[in-house]
Amino acid sequence: MMLIDCPHCGPRAQEEFTYERTRDSVVPLDATPAAAMATLYARANPRGEEDEIWRHTLGCRGWLELRRHRMTHAIVAVRPLGPAVLP
């Protein structure tokens, strides 16, 4: 289990969050269908650190960008991608 330090709520268990995607999997609006398929489904699985987009689904519902090591799952940095959406 990972402990994610939400900028709005503090440290929380991974189960409260939903993994959305990596920065590399964002498809531009003008992409062709073939380019969109390649971006979404033919990605490399690199070792080392990568930026990922997560959502604090069971908490503040805010979007976060995590920099996480793909092999060790160590979270290097967390930053908000907008304000919290508290109920």
Side-chain angles (χ1 to χ4, degrees), residues 6 9 11-12 20 25 37 49 53-55 61-63 70 79 85:
C6 177
C9 306
R12 298 290 192 265
E20 294 295 330
S25 65
M37 291 289 287
E49 296 176 0
I53 300 172
W54 289 68
R55 185 167 189 203
R61 298 190 310 232
W63 294 90
R70 303 278 303 219
R79 73 175 188 91
V85 188

Side-chain angles (χ1 to χ4, degrees), residues 48-68:
E49 296 176 0
E50 187 170 37
D51 293 326
E52 302 172 336
I53 300 172
W54 289 68
R55 185 167 189 203
H56 195 175
T57 313
L58 300 179
C60 64
R61 298 190 310 232
W63 294 90
L64 313 171
E65 181 178 67
L66 270 67
R67 182 146 191 88
R68 183 175 68 90

Side-chain angles (χ1 to χ4, degrees), residues 24-47:
D24 294 338
S25 65
V26 178
V27 179
L29 292 175
D30 60 348
T32 64
M37 291 289 287
T39 299
L40 292 173
Y41 300 109
R43 294 184 304 121
N45 191 9
R47 295 179 183 190

